[in-house]
Amino acid sequence: QSALTQPASVSGSPGQSITISCTGTSSDIGGYNYVSWYQQHPGKAPKLIIFEVGNRPSGVSSRFSGSKSGNTASLTISGLQAEDEADYYCSSYTGSSTNWVFGGGTKVTVL
Amino acid sequence: EVQLLESGGGLVQPGGSLRLSCAASGFTFSTYGMSWVRQTPGKGLEWVSVISDSGVTAYAESVKDRFTVSRDNSKNTVYLQMNGLRAEDTAVYYCAKLTWNSGRIFDSWGQGTLVTVSS
């Protein structure tokens, strides 16, 4: 069982917006603005797409956005495209001996 | 361009040992922390260990006292020595570059190396 809780799957049609939630505790998501999101296509390494809750690395599409409220972080993908079909993982730094925790991953399907 | 290339994975019996290596290029290796993250087949990600630019280390409880992370800045390489391997250590092991000052993030990942622990 992962430390952070994500829905197992989310789906949407091309052009739609979807949101993936990531629920933790006050010891991780709620306690730090060190929430990041990673995209992973099958057989590939994870790729950083959001850091510090809502910042995008250079080169990542503006269709990806992140936010946080209390102990829950969210990733929104707007204008859904076929290439967005992948697994998405949230992560939070904890500042404790655990250091980093991940969510169990959400499979995004483009219908 | 940042490149991370893991090696050393393979099939090992329970109780055995393996040493993973991760060769880095495209950035000033000695000034960054490096981490190992594993992914069990068909499942999620789990942070395993970290070594800072100054050599300070930390481990997940599940591997503490069995795994040891180290680095050789002259070779731009980070290592993970895994002893007392268990079936539950079976996973793809990724090394990742850690950027501490911008969100404690893993901003580059290698392609991973598969470790299978089985008799």
Short mmCIF file of all heavy atoms in Angstrom, two decimals, chain A residues 28-88:
data_model
loop_
_atom_site.label_atom_id
_atom_site.label_comp_id
_atom_site.label_asym_id
_atom_site.label_seq_id
_atom_site.Cartn_x
_atom_site.Cartn_y
_atom_site.Cartn_z
N ASP A 28 3.29 15.02 5.03
CA ASP A 28 3.89 15.06 3.69
C ASP A 28 3.26 16.18 2.87
O ASP A 28 3.72 17.33 2.94
CB ASP A 28 3.80 13.70 2.99
CG ASP A 28 2.50 12.94 3.24
OD1 ASP A 28 1.45 13.42 2.79
OD2 ASP A 28 2.54 11.90 3.90
N ILE A 29 2.20 15.89 2.13
CA ILE A 29 1.61 16.91 1.27
C ILE A 29 1.20 18.15 2.04
O ILE A 29 1.46 19.28 1.62
CB ILE A 29 0.42 16.33 0.49
CG1 ILE A 29 0.91 15.30 -0.53
CG2 ILE A 29 -0.36 17.44 -0.22
CD1 ILE A 29 -0.20 14.60 -1.31
N GLY A 30 0.54 17.94 3.16
CA GLY A 30 0.03 19.07 3.93
C GLY A 30 1.10 19.90 4.61
O GLY A 30 0.87 21.06 4.97
N GLY A 31 2.28 19.32 4.78
CA GLY A 31 3.33 19.99 5.52
C GLY A 31 4.38 20.68 4.68
O GLY A 31 5.17 21.49 5.19
N TYR A 32 4.42 20.39 3.40
CA TYR A 32 5.45 20.93 2.52
C TYR A 32 4.86 21.27 1.16
O TYR A 32 3.91 20.63 0.71
CB TYR A 32 6.58 19.91 2.31
CG TYR A 32 7.27 19.46 3.56
CD1 TYR A 32 6.79 18.39 4.30
CD2 TYR A 32 8.42 20.11 4.00
CE1 TYR A 32 7.44 17.97 5.44
CE2 TYR A 32 9.07 19.70 5.15
CZ TYR A 32 8.58 18.62 5.86
OH TYR A 32 9.23 18.21 7.00
N ASN A 33 5.46 22.23 0.51
CA ASN A 33 5.10 22.53 -0.88
C ASN A 33 6.05 21.80 -1.83
O ASN A 33 6.38 22.31 -2.90
CB ASN A 33 5.13 24.03 -1.15
CG ASN A 33 3.92 24.73 -0.55
OD1 ASN A 33 2.83 24.17 -0.49
ND2 ASN A 33 4.12 25.95 -0.08
N TYR A 34 6.46 20.61 -1.43
CA TYR A 34 7.38 19.81 -2.24
C TYR A 34 6.63 18.64 -2.87
O TYR A 34 7.05 17.48 -2.78
CB TYR A 34 8.54 19.31 -1.38
CG TYR A 34 9.42 20.41 -0.86
CD1 TYR A 34 9.93 20.36 0.44
CD2 TYR A 34 9.74 21.51 -1.64
CE1 TYR A 34 10.75 21.36 0.93
CE2 TYR A 34 10.56 22.52 -1.17
CZ TYR A 34 11.06 22.45 0.13
OH TYR A 34 11.86 23.44 0.60
N VAL A 35 5.53 18.96 -3.54
CA VAL A 35 4.76 17.96 -4.26
C VAL A 35 5.19 17.98 -5.72
O VAL A 35 5.28 19.04 -6.35
CB VAL A 35 3.25 18.24 -4.18
CG1 VAL A 35 2.47 17.21 -5.00
CG2 VAL A 35 2.78 18.24 -2.73
N SER A 36 5.45 16.81 -6.25
CA SER A 36 5.82 16.70 -7.66
C SER A 36 5.00 15.61 -8.32
O SER A 36 4.41 14.75 -7.65
CB SER A 36 7.32 16.42 -7.82
OG SER A 36 7.71 15.31 -7.04
N TRP A 37 4.94 15.70 -9.64
CA TRP A 37 4.19 14.71 -10.44
C TRP A 37 5.11 14.19 -11.54
O TRP A 37 5.88 14.95 -12.15
CB TRP A 37 2.96 15.36 -11.06
CG TRP A 37 1.88 15.70 -10.09
CD1 TRP A 37 1.75 16.85 -9.37
CD2 TRP A 37 0.76 14.87 -9.73
NE1 TRP A 37 0.63 16.79 -8.58
CE2 TRP A 37 -0.01 15.59 -8.78
CE3 TRP A 37 0.33 13.60 -10.11
CZ2 TRP A 37 -1.17 15.08 -8.22
CZ3 TRP A 37 -0.83 13.09 -9.56
CH2 TRP A 37 -1.57 13.82 -8.62
N TYR A 38 4.97 12.89 -11.82
CA TYR A 38 5.77 12.22 -12.83
C TYR A 38 4.85 11.49 -13.81
O TYR A 38 3.86 10.89 -13.40
CB TYR A 38 6.75 11.24 -12.19
CG TYR A 38 7.71 11.90 -11.23
CD1 TYR A 38 7.38 12.10 -9.90
CD2 TYR A 38 8.94 12.37 -11.67
CE1 TYR A 38 8.24 12.73 -9.03
CE2 TYR A 38 9.82 13.01 -10.81
CZ TYR A 38 9.46 13.19 -9.49
OH TYR A 38 10.32 13.82 -8.63
N GLN A 39 5.21 11.56 -15.07
CA GLN A 39 4.50 10.85 -16.13
C GLN A 39 5.36 9.67 -16.57
O GLN A 39 6.57 9.81 -16.74
CB GLN A 39 4.29 11.80 -17.32
CG GLN A 39 3.63 11.17 -18.53
CD GLN A 39 3.74 12.09 -19.75
OE1 GLN A 39 4.83 12.43 -20.20
NE2 GLN A 39 2.60 12.52 -20.27
N GLN A 40 4.74 8.51 -16.74
CA GLN A 40 5.49 7.34 -17.19
C GLN A 40 4.74 6.61 -18.29
O GLN A 40 3.64 6.09 -18.07
CB GLN A 40 5.76 6.38 -16.02
CG GLN A 40 6.66 5.21 -16.39
CD GLN A 40 6.94 4.29 -15.22
OE1 GLN A 40 6.09 4.06 -14.37
NE2 GLN A 40 8.15 3.74 -15.17
N HIS A 41 5.32 6.56 -19.47
CA HIS A 41 4.77 5.76 -20.56
C HIS A 41 5.28 4.33 -20.41
O HIS A 41 6.33 4.10 -19.81
CB HIS A 41 5.17 6.35 -21.91
CG HIS A 41 4.46 7.62 -22.25
ND1 HIS A 41 5.04 8.86 -22.17
CD2 HIS A 41 3.18 7.83 -22.65
CE1 HIS A 41 4.17 9.78 -22.52
NE2 HIS A 41 3.03 9.18 -22.82
N PRO A 42 4.54 3.37 -20.96
CA PRO A 42 4.91 1.95 -20.80
C PRO A 42 6.34 1.67 -21.24
O PRO A 42 6.77 2.08 -22.32
CB PRO A 42 3.91 1.23 -21.71
CG PRO A 42 2.72 2.13 -21.73
CD PRO A 42 3.27 3.52 -21.70
N GLY A 43 7.07 1.00 -20.37
CA GLY A 43 8.45 0.62 -20.67
C GLY A 43 9.46 1.75 -20.60
O GLY A 43 10.63 1.55 -20.95
N LYS A 44 9.01 2.91 -20.17
CA LYS A 44 9.90 4.08 -20.11
C LYS A 44 10.13 4.50 -18.67
O LYS A 44 9.42 4.09 -17.76
CB LYS A 44 9.29 5.25 -20.89
CG LYS A 44 9.05 4.95 -22.36
CD LYS A 44 10.35 4.74 -23.11
CE LYS A 44 10.12 4.60 -24.60
NZ LYS A 44 11.39 4.38 -25.35
N ALA A 45 11.13 5.36 -18.47
CA ALA A 45 11.41 5.91 -17.15
C ALA A 45 10.41 7.02 -16.83
O ALA A 45 9.86 7.66 -17.73
CB ALA A 45 12.82 6.46 -17.10
N PRO A 46 10.16 7.26 -15.56
CA PRO A 46 9.32 8.40 -15.18
C PRO A 46 9.94 9.71 -15.66
O PRO A 46 11.16 9.84 -15.74
CB PRO A 46 9.29 8.33 -13.65
CG PRO A 46 9.59 6.91 -13.33
CD PRO A 46 10.57 6.48 -14.39
N LYS A 47 9.06 10.68 -15.93
CA LYS A 47 9.48 12.00 -16.37
C LYS A 47 8.81 13.04 -15.49
O LYS A 47 7.59 13.01 -15.30
CB LYS A 47 9.08 12.24 -17.83
CG LYS A 47 9.32 13.65 -18.33
CD LYS A 47 8.68 13.86 -19.70
CE LYS A 47 8.77 15.32 -20.15
NZ LYS A 47 8.06 15.55 -21.42
N LEU A 48 9.60 13.96 -14.95
CA LEU A 48 9.07 15.02 -14.11
C LEU A 48 8.22 15.99 -14.94
O LEU A 48 8.69 16.51 -15.96
CB LEU A 48 10.21 15.79 -13.46
CG LEU A 48 9.84 16.99 -12.58
CD1 LEU A 48 9.17 16.52 -11.29
CD2 LEU A 48 11.08 17.83 -12.27
N ILE A 49 6.98 16.24 -14.51
CA ILE A 49 6.12 17.19 -15.23
C ILE A 49 5.64 18.35 -14.36
O ILE A 49 5.25 19.40 -14.89
CB ILE A 49 4.91 16.48 -15.88
CG1 ILE A 49 4.07 15.74 -14.84
CG2 ILE A 49 5.36 15.56 -17.00
CD1 ILE A 49 2.75 15.20 -15.41
N ILE A 50 5.65 18.19 -13.05
CA ILE A 50 5.26 19.25 -12.13
C ILE A 50 6.15 19.17 -10.89
O ILE A 50 6.40 18.08 -10.38
CB ILE A 50 3.79 19.14 -11.69
CG1 ILE A 50 2.83 19.36 -12.86
CG2 ILE A 50 3.48 20.11 -10.55
CD1 ILE A 50 2.73 20.82 -13.35
N PHE A 51 6.63 20.32 -10.40
CA PHE A 51 7.38 20.34 -9.14
C PHE A 51 6.91 21.50 -8.28
O PHE A 51 6.31 22.46 -8.79
CB PHE A 51 8.89 20.39 -9.38
CG PHE A 51 9.39 21.66 -10.02
CD1 PHE A 51 9.94 22.67 -9.26
CD2 PHE A 51 9.31 21.84 -11.40
CE1 PHE A 51 10.41 23.83 -9.84
CE2 PHE A 51 9.77 23.01 -11.99
CZ PHE A 51 10.34 24.01 -11.21
N GLU A 52 7.18 21.42 -7.00
CA GLU A 52 6.75 22.45 -6.04
C GLU A 52 5.27 22.80 -6.26
O GLU A 52 4.91 23.97 -6.41
CB GLU A 52 7.64 23.69 -6.15
CG GLU A 52 9.03 23.45 -5.59
CD GLU A 52 9.93 24.68 -5.67
OE1 GLU A 52 9.88 25.38 -6.70
OE2 GLU A 52 10.68 24.91 -4.71
N VAL A 53 4.46 21.78 -6.29
CA VAL A 53 2.99 21.85 -6.37
C VAL A 53 2.48 22.22 -7.77
O VAL A 53 1.65 21.51 -8.32
CB VAL A 53 2.39 22.83 -5.34
CG1 VAL A 53 0.86 22.90 -5.50
CG2 VAL A 53 2.75 22.41 -3.92
N GLY A 54 2.96 23.34 -8.30
CA GLY A 54 2.37 23.82 -9.55
C GLY A 54 3.33 24.35 -10.59
O GLY A 54 2.92 24.98 -11.56
N ASN A 55 4.61 24.10 -10.43
CA ASN A 55 5.61 24.58 -11.40
C ASN A 55 5.92 23.52 -12.45
O ASN A 55 6.02 22.34 -12.14
CB ASN A 55 6.90 24.97 -10.66
CG ASN A 55 6.70 26.17 -9.76
OD1 ASN A 55 5.98 27.10 -10.10
ND2 ASN A 55 7.33 26.14 -8.60
N ARG A 56 6.09 23.98 -13.69
CA ARG A 56 6.41 23.08 -14.78
C ARG A 56 7.87 23.24 -15.18
O ARG A 56 8.35 24.36 -15.37
CB ARG A 56 5.55 23.36 -16.02
CG ARG A 56 4.14 22.87 -15.98
CD ARG A 56 3.46 23.12 -17.33
NE ARG A 56 3.62 24.50 -17.78
CZ ARG A 56 2.84 25.48 -17.40
NH1 ARG A 56 1.85 25.25 -16.56
NH2 ARG A 56 3.03 26.71 -17.87
N PRO A 57 8.58 22.11 -15.36
CA PRO A 57 9.94 22.21 -15.90
C PRO A 57 9.89 22.74 -17.33
O PRO A 57 8.86 22.63 -18.01
CB PRO A 57 10.44 20.76 -15.89
CG PRO A 57 9.53 20.04 -14.94
CD PRO A 57 8.21 20.73 -15.04
N SER A 58 11.00 23.28 -17.77
CA SER A 58 11.10 23.74 -19.14
C SER A 58 10.79 22.60 -20.10
O SER A 58 11.26 21.48 -19.93
CB SER A 58 12.51 24.27 -19.39
OG SER A 58 12.70 24.60 -20.74
N GLY A 59 9.96 22.89 -21.09
CA GLY A 59 9.64 21.90 -22.11
C GLY A 59 8.38 21.10 -21.85
O GLY A 59 7.91 20.37 -22.74
N VAL A 60 7.82 21.21 -20.67
CA VAL A 60 6.57 20.50 -20.35
C VAL A 60 5.39 21.36 -20.78
O VAL A 60 5.35 22.56 -20.51
CB VAL A 60 6.49 20.16 -18.86
CG1 VAL A 60 5.12 19.59 -18.50
CG2 VAL A 60 7.59 19.18 -18.48
N SER A 61 4.42 20.73 -21.42
CA SER A 61 3.27 21.44 -21.96
C SER A 61 2.50 22.19 -20.87
O SER A 61 2.33 21.69 -19.74
CB SER A 61 2.33 20.45 -22.63
OG SER A 61 1.12 21.07 -23.01
N SER A 62 2.00 23.36 -21.22
CA SER A 62 1.19 24.16 -20.29
C SER A 62 -0.17 23.54 -20.05
O SER A 62 -0.96 24.02 -19.23
CB SER A 62 1.05 25.58 -20.82
OG SER A 62 0.43 25.56 -22.10
N ARG A 63 -0.48 22.46 -20.76
CA ARG A 63 -1.73 21.75 -20.53
C ARG A 63 -1.70 21.01 -19.18
O ARG A 63 -2.75 20.59 -18.68
CB ARG A 63 -2.01 20.75 -21.65
CG ARG A 63 -2.17 21.40 -23.01
CD ARG A 63 -2.56 20.39 -24.10
NE ARG A 63 -1.55 19.35 -24.29
CZ ARG A 63 -1.65 18.12 -23.82
NH1 ARG A 63 -2.73 17.75 -23.12
NH2 ARG A 63 -0.69 17.23 -24.06
N PHE A 64 -0.51 20.86 -18.61
CA PHE A 64 -0.38 20.22 -17.31
C PHE A 64 -0.29 21.30 -16.22
O PHE A 64 0.50 22.23 -16.33
CB PHE A 64 0.89 19.36 -17.25
CG PHE A 64 0.86 18.17 -18.16
CD1 PHE A 64 1.41 18.25 -19.44
CD2 PHE A 64 0.27 16.98 -17.77
CE1 PHE A 64 1.38 17.14 -20.30
CE2 PHE A 64 0.23 15.88 -18.62
CZ PHE A 64 0.79 15.97 -19.89
N SER A 65 -1.12 21.16 -15.20
CA SER A 65 -1.09 22.11 -14.10
C SER A 65 -1.31 21.37 -12.79
O SER A 65 -1.95 20.32 -12.75
CB SER A 65 -2.13 23.21 -14.28
OG SER A 65 -3.43 22.66 -14.30
N GLY A 66 -0.77 21.94 -11.70
CA GLY A 66 -0.89 21.30 -10.41
C GLY A 66 -1.35 22.28 -9.35
O GLY A 66 -1.16 23.49 -9.47
N SER A 67 -1.97 21.74 -8.31
CA SER A 67 -2.45 22.56 -7.21
C SER A 67 -2.46 21.71 -5.95
O SER A 67 -2.25 20.50 -5.98
CB SER A 67 -3.84 23.12 -7.51
OG SER A 67 -4.77 22.05 -7.65
N LYS A 68 -2.74 22.39 -4.83
CA LYS A 68 -2.80 21.68 -3.55
C LYS A 68 -3.78 22.37 -2.62
O LYS A 68 -3.86 23.61 -2.59
CB LYS A 68 -1.41 21.67 -2.90
CG LYS A 68 -1.30 20.83 -1.63
CD LYS A 68 0.07 20.98 -0.96
CE LYS A 68 0.11 22.14 -0.01
NZ LYS A 68 1.31 22.11 0.87
N SER A 69 -4.52 21.57 -1.87
CA SER A 69 -5.40 22.11 -0.83
C SER A 69 -5.33 21.16 0.36
O SER A 69 -5.72 19.99 0.25
CB SER A 69 -6.84 22.20 -1.34
OG SER A 69 -7.70 22.67 -0.31
N GLY A 70 -4.82 21.67 1.45
CA GLY A 70 -4.66 20.83 2.63
C GLY A 70 -3.74 19.66 2.36
O GLY A 70 -2.60 19.83 1.93
N ASN A 71 -4.23 18.46 2.62
CA ASN A 71 -3.43 17.26 2.43
C ASN A 71 -3.61 16.61 1.07
O ASN A 71 -3.16 15.48 0.85
CB ASN A 71 -3.77 16.23 3.52
CG ASN A 71 -3.45 16.72 4.92
OD1 ASN A 71 -2.60 17.58 5.10
ND2 ASN A 71 -4.15 16.17 5.91
N THR A 72 -4.28 17.29 0.15
CA THR A 72 -4.55 16.73 -1.17
C THR A 72 -3.98 17.61 -2.28
O THR A 72 -4.23 18.80 -2.32
CB THR A 72 -6.06 16.55 -1.39
OG1 THR A 72 -6.57 15.63 -0.41
CG2 THR A 72 -6.34 15.98 -2.79
N ALA A 73 -3.21 16.96 -3.14
CA ALA A 73 -2.68 17.63 -4.32
C ALA A 73 -3.46 17.13 -5.54
O ALA A 73 -4.05 16.05 -5.51
CB ALA A 73 -1.20 17.31 -4.49
N SER A 74 -3.43 17.93 -6.59
CA SER A 74 -4.15 17.57 -7.81
C SER A 74 -3.33 17.91 -9.05
O SER A 74 -2.64 18.92 -9.07
CB SER A 74 -5.50 18.30 -7.88
OG SER A 74 -6.33 17.95 -6.80
N LEU A 75 -3.45 17.06 -10.05
CA LEU A 75 -2.86 17.29 -11.36
C LEU A 75 -4.01 17.38 -12.36
O LEU A 75 -4.86 16.49 -12.41
CB LEU A 75 -1.94 16.14 -11.76
CG LEU A 75 -1.39 16.19 -13.19
CD1 LEU A 75 -0.36 17.31 -13.33
CD2 LEU A 75 -0.79 14.84 -13.59
N THR A 76 -4.04 18.46 -13.12
CA THR A 76 -5.05 18.64 -14.16
C THR A 76 -4.39 18.61 -15.52
O THR A 76 -3.37 19.28 -15.73
CB THR A 76 -5.82 19.95 -13.97
OG1 THR A 76 -6.52 19.91 -12.72
CG2 THR A 76 -6.82 20.15 -15.10
N ILE A 77 -4.95 17.83 -16.41
CA ILE A 77 -4.51 17.80 -17.80
C ILE A 77 -5.66 18.37 -18.62
O ILE A 77 -6.76 17.81 -18.64
CB ILE A 77 -4.18 16.38 -18.28
CG1 ILE A 77 -3.23 15.67 -17.32
CG2 ILE A 77 -3.58 16.43 -19.69
CD1 ILE A 77 -2.95 14.21 -17.67
N SER A 78 -5.41 19.50 -19.25
CA SER A 78 -6.44 20.12 -20.08
C SER A 78 -6.17 19.82 -21.55
O SER A 78 -5.03 19.53 -21.94
CB SER A 78 -6.48 21.63 -19.84
OG SER A 78 -5.21 22.19 -20.11
N GLY A 79 -7.22 19.88 -22.36
CA GLY A 79 -7.07 19.59 -23.78
C GLY A 79 -6.44 18.23 -24.01
O GLY A 79 -5.47 18.09 -24.74
N LEU A 80 -6.99 17.22 -23.38
CA LEU A 80 -6.44 15.87 -23.39
C LEU A 80 -6.07 15.42 -24.80
O LEU A 80 -6.85 15.59 -25.75
CB LEU A 80 -7.44 14.91 -22.75
CG LEU A 80 -6.94 13.57 -22.22
CD1 LEU A 80 -5.92 13.76 -21.11
CD2 LEU A 80 -8.12 12.74 -21.72
N GLN A 81 -4.87 14.85 -24.93
CA GLN A 81 -4.40 14.34 -26.21
C GLN A 81 -4.01 12.87 -26.09
O GLN A 81 -3.72 12.39 -24.98
CB GLN A 81 -3.19 15.16 -26.69
CG GLN A 81 -3.48 16.63 -26.91
CD GLN A 81 -2.27 17.41 -27.39
OE1 GLN A 81 -1.19 16.87 -27.59
NE2 GLN A 81 -2.47 18.72 -27.60
N ALA A 82 -3.97 12.18 -27.20
CA ALA A 82 -3.65 10.75 -27.20
C ALA A 82 -2.31 10.48 -26.54
O ALA A 82 -2.13 9.47 -25.85
CB ALA A 82 -3.66 10.22 -28.63
N GLU A 83 -1.37 11.38 -26.72
CA GLU A 83 -0.02 11.19 -26.16
C GLU A 83 0.01 11.31 -24.64
O GLU A 83 1.01 10.97 -24.01
CB GLU A 83 0.93 12.22 -26.76
CG GLU A 83 0.64 13.66 -26.35
CD GLU A 83 1.13 14.68 -27.36
OE1 GLU A 83 0.86 14.51 -28.57
OE2 GLU A 83 1.79 15.65 -26.93
N ASP A 84 -1.09 11.79 -24.05
CA ASP A 84 -1.15 11.90 -22.60
C ASP A 84 -1.48 10.58 -21.93
O ASP A 84 -1.45 10.47 -20.70
CB ASP A 84 -2.20 12.94 -22.19
CG ASP A 84 -1.90 14.33 -22.73
OD1 ASP A 84 -0.71 14.65 -22.93
OD2 ASP A 84 -2.87 15.09 -22.98
N GLU A 85 -1.83 9.58 -22.73
CA GLU A 85 -2.16 8.26 -22.18
C GLU A 85 -0.88 7.68 -21.56
O GLU A 85 0.10 7.40 -22.25
CB GLU A 85 -2.71 7.35 -23.26
CG GLU A 85 -3.34 6.09 -22.71
CD GLU A 85 -4.29 5.43 -23.70
OE1 GLU A 85 -5.41 5.91 -23.89
OE2 GLU A 85 -3.87 4.40 -24.29
N ALA A 86 -0.89 7.51 -20.25
CA ALA A 86 0.29 7.10 -19.50
C ALA A 86 -0.11 6.89 -18.04
O ALA A 86 -1.26 7.11 -17.66
CB ALA A 86 1.38 8.17 -19.59
N ASP A 87 0.86 6.48 -17.24
CA ASP A 87 0.67 6.41 -15.80
C ASP A 87 1.24 7.69 -15.17
O ASP A 87 2.27 8.20 -15.61
CB ASP A 87 1.41 5.21 -15.21
CG ASP A 87 0.81 3.89 -15.65
OD1 ASP A 87 -0.42 3.82 -15.83
OD2 ASP A 87 1.57 2.92 -15.84
N TYR A 88 0.55 8.19 -14.14
CA TYR A 88 0.97 9.41 -13.47
C TYR A 88 1.13 9.14 -11.98
O TYR A 88 0.25 8.53 -11.35
CB TYR A 88 -0.05 10.52 -13.71
CG TYR A 88 -0.09 10.98 -15.15
CD1 TYR A 88 -0.83 10.27 -16.10
CD2 TYR A 88 0.63 12.08 -15.57
CE1 TYR A 88 -0.84 10.66 -17.43
CE2 TYR A 88 0.63 12.48 -16.90
CZ TYR A 88 -0.10 11.76 -17.83
OH TYR A 88 -0.10 12.14 -19.15
#
